[in-house]
Amino acid sequence: MSNLRQNVLVSTAAMVLVGLIRPGFHAVVNHAFGAEVNGRATKLIAVLFLATLPAASALPAVMVRHVSRALGAGAEAEARGHTRLALLTGLALSVLGAAAAIPYARYYTEPTLTSFEALCIGGGVVGYSGWRLLRALLLAVGRAPRSLLAEVASVVALFAGLAALVVLDAPALVLGTFAGVYVLYTALALPMAQDMLRGGAVSAEGRRDFLRYNVLWFLGTATSIATRELSILYLDTRVDDALVGEVGVALSLLMLLAFAPRIIEVPLVHELSSLGGSANLDAQRGLTEKALHWLSAFTFAIGAGAAILAAPILAIVGDVHTEVVAQAFALLAFAFMTEMVMTPATNLLVAEAPPAVLTTVGVLSLALALGWWATPWAGGVLGVIFGLALSYAFKAVAIAVYAKRRFGLVFFQRPLAKLAALAAGAAAVWGAFTQGLNPWLVFVAFEALMGVLFFPEARALVEAALTRRRAA
């Protein structure tokens, strides 16, 4: 468990940096160069991320699962073999993704793709795939502090590059700073993992298992992640670039709600897989339930608070003042946080459930969004965003139902406090949007209520932190 704590602490520091990349980029570009330039970048970044899905959606989690299970069983040679297999597979898939993305962007986006933008998309696809794989690997093998150094360098380079472009007034080059984050990290982190690429071997059965999990989890995870990026491309066919840019700011800020879930994602998959390798099912269940309880309270406090402050946050951070964008942000905040709350249960499914489960959930969630977008009600910003919200909510409910039936998880510790928080959050958002209440005052009142409702959890967290500090 101490290894899990260390990984969570380092992952927290890394996620502070990682969490700044997309919202920081869109906020600066929108402020400095305008919504149309940001809209163009938003579309091309959506294409870039869609192209990374074959290499970056399922493969990192599958790699961590197999490497961690092998290390948990004391089979270091097998762990090295799975590492090499995953990284080589990721390289091949990212090259294929880039080869598909560039022609698509050239023929299906307006104005015509420039050579520099094509280079950024290709390099960004390979770099982001390497970023996802290497940071997951370094965390799983206990080298997270080294990974953090590369994170710091790449994020500093992003904002330094943006500052230079603002001074030079060079909006045509903004995509290069975004892609450069991931290229730089991959270049710095690859030498840190070189020894994991030497020696070791994977049996024929291990390769079949690796392939099976990747195919099934790819169908589930990729379809799930693709919904967000597809919503941007679908929106692009309905509204102008400026509105796409403003929605891009909102969606990037929404990703901050994933802060706490993403902090614990890789450490938790690693820990659950290691426990699975030692057949400690009770410990898996207990760890998951504890994470669910803490995460639900924390994420709801952040998510509902973000929904309450949607209009002022967008105006201050991204220079976005369009009312419908603030409404869309508030809607997505509630839907997205329901999926994020389920992250510990999802991680347990990654470690122990048949891969077909997450495959089915992901495919159905995308089908639900596509079905909504095909209806006459999907026009405009709210129509498109509602389809994305449906996919988030469906995934949360489906994962909760399966985890409850398969593993008997307890989801509602302190249910009365959580129901009270839900009612208060809904009322606060309604008051801020429809009754003209000052959103800042509503926010302060809501967060104070959350502090009262979940004071025992906050106190336990502080006591645990102080205990670990004294022990150190």
Side-chain angles (χ1 to χ4, degrees):
M1 194 66 70
S2 60
N3 189 46
L4 176 61
R5 289 175 182 150
Q6 177 185 336
N7 282 346
V8 167
L9 289 174
V10 176
S11 187
T12 300
M15 283 305 298
V16 169
L17 298 171
V18 173
L20 293 174
I21 294 174
R22 205 160 178 176
F25 172 84
H26 286 297
V28 172
V29 173
N30 212 65
H31 267 292
F33 300 117
E36 289 190 5
V37 173
N38 191 44
R40 170 71 171 176
T42 299
K43 290 186 292 185
L44 295 181
I45 289 171
V47 173
L48 187 159
F49 279 125
L50 285 171
T52 66
L53 292 179
S57 56
L59 190 56
V62 174
M63 176 187 66
V64 170
R65 179 187 188 276
H66 285 75
V67 170
S68 297
R69 289 178 76 88
L71 292 175
E76 186 174 341
E78 183 181 351
R80 292 174 182 268
H82 274 296
T83 298
R84 185 171 62 252
L85 177 61
L87 291 182
L88 291 177
T89 302
L91 177 61
L93 291 175
S94 63
V95 169
L96 291 175
I102 293 172
Y104 174 87
R106 186 176 298 278
Y107 293 109
Y108 291 98
T109 62
E110 294 291 339
T112 303
L113 191 74
T114 67
S115 297
F116 177 75
E117 289 171 335
L119 178 64
C120 292
I121 290 175
V125 171
V126 176
Y128 180 79
S129 300
W131 176 80
R132 287 273 290 143
L133 285 162
L134 288 169
R135 71 193 303 269
L137 173 65
L138 292 172
L139 186 64
V141 299
R143 300 175 191 174
R146 301 187 199 177
S147 174
L148 183 59
L149 295 176
E151 300 271 16
V152 171
S154 58
V155 173
V156 168
L158 166 67
F159 290 104
L162 285 173
L165 294 185
V166 171
V167 171
L168 296 173
D169 191 24
L173 303 180
V174 295
L175 191 62
T177 62
F178 188 84
V181 172
Y182 305 110
V183 173
L184 178 59
Y185 174 87
T186 299
L188 294 174
L190 187 59
M192 303 176 189
Q194 275 188 345
D195 63 308
M196 288 297 295
L197 299 174
R198 302 191 190 102
V202 180
S203 65
E205 181 181 354
R207 288 179 180 273
R208 286 193 297 269
D209 190 53
F210 176 86
L211 177 62
R212 180 171 66 92
Y213 270 85
N214 267 295
V215 170
L216 290 173
W217 279 353
F218 167 75
L219 292 174
T221 308
T223 51
S224 176
I225 298 173
T227 308
R228 180 187 185 280
E229 310 304 338
L230 288 173
S231 70
I232 293 173
L233 298 182
Y234 186 82
L235 184 65
D236 182 48
T237 67
R238 296 292 188 269
V239 300
D240 58 30
D241 276 0
L243 199 48
V244 171
E246 292 188 339
V247 172
V249 173
L251 289 177
S252 67
L253 291 174
L254 186 72
M255 293 300 103
L256 295 176
L257 296 182
F259 180 76
R262 293 295 182 249
I263 286 171
I264 69 171
E265 182 176 33
V266 172
L268 200 56
V269 170
H270 167 62
E271 190 74 14
L272 290 169
S273 296
S274 297
L275 291 171
S278 59
N280 197 339
L281 299 179
D282 288 339
Q284 285 181 313
R285 187 181 300 110
L287 180 60
T288 302
E289 290 176 349
K290 186 174 183 179
L292 280 166
H293 177 56
W294 283 93
L295 199 58
S296 61
F298 180 82
T299 302
F300 186 76
I302 299 299
I308 294 166
L309 295 177
I313 286 175
L314 289 170
I316 294 170
V317 177
D319 195 26
V320 174
H321 303 276
T322 307
E323 183 178 1
V324 70
V325 177
Q327 293 169 349
F329 180 84
L331 171 64
L332 276 181
F334 271 98
F336 185 60
M337 71 182 174
T338 60
E339 182 187 351
M340 290 298 96
V341 165
M342 289 296 116
T343 298
T346 304
N347 292 339
L348 182 59
L349 267 58
V350 168
E352 294 300 326
V357 175
L358 290 178
T359 297
T360 303
V361 171
V363 170
L364 290 178
S365 70
L366 176 59
L368 184 62
L370 292 175
W372 172 260
W373 289 334
T375 69
W377 305 291
V381 172
L382 286 179
V384 174
I385 292 303
F386 188 76
L388 181 58
L390 281 176
S391 73
Y392 288 147
F394 173 81
K395 282 180 284 186
V397 172
I399 288 169
V401 169
Y402 180 86
K404 175 68 174 178
R405 292 184 176 180
R406 171 68 175 81
F407 300 103
L409 293 180
V410 176
F411 283 93
F412 296 106
Q413 298 179 29
R414 302 195 63 211
L416 293 180
K418 291 177 181 176
L419 286 174
L422 178 61
V429 173
W430 176 78
F433 271 89
T434 67
Q435 301 303 303
L437 300 180
N438 186 307
W440 294 102
L441 294 179
V442 174
F443 171 78
V444 170
F446 171 74
E447 297 299 340
L449 177 62
M450 290 294 292
V452 171
L453 289 173
F454 297 100
F455 178 75
E457 285 79 5
R459 182 176 59 187
L461 180 63
V462 172
E463 290 175 351
L466 292 176
T467 299
R468 287 197 296 272
R469 186 176 300 172
R470 285 195 296 268

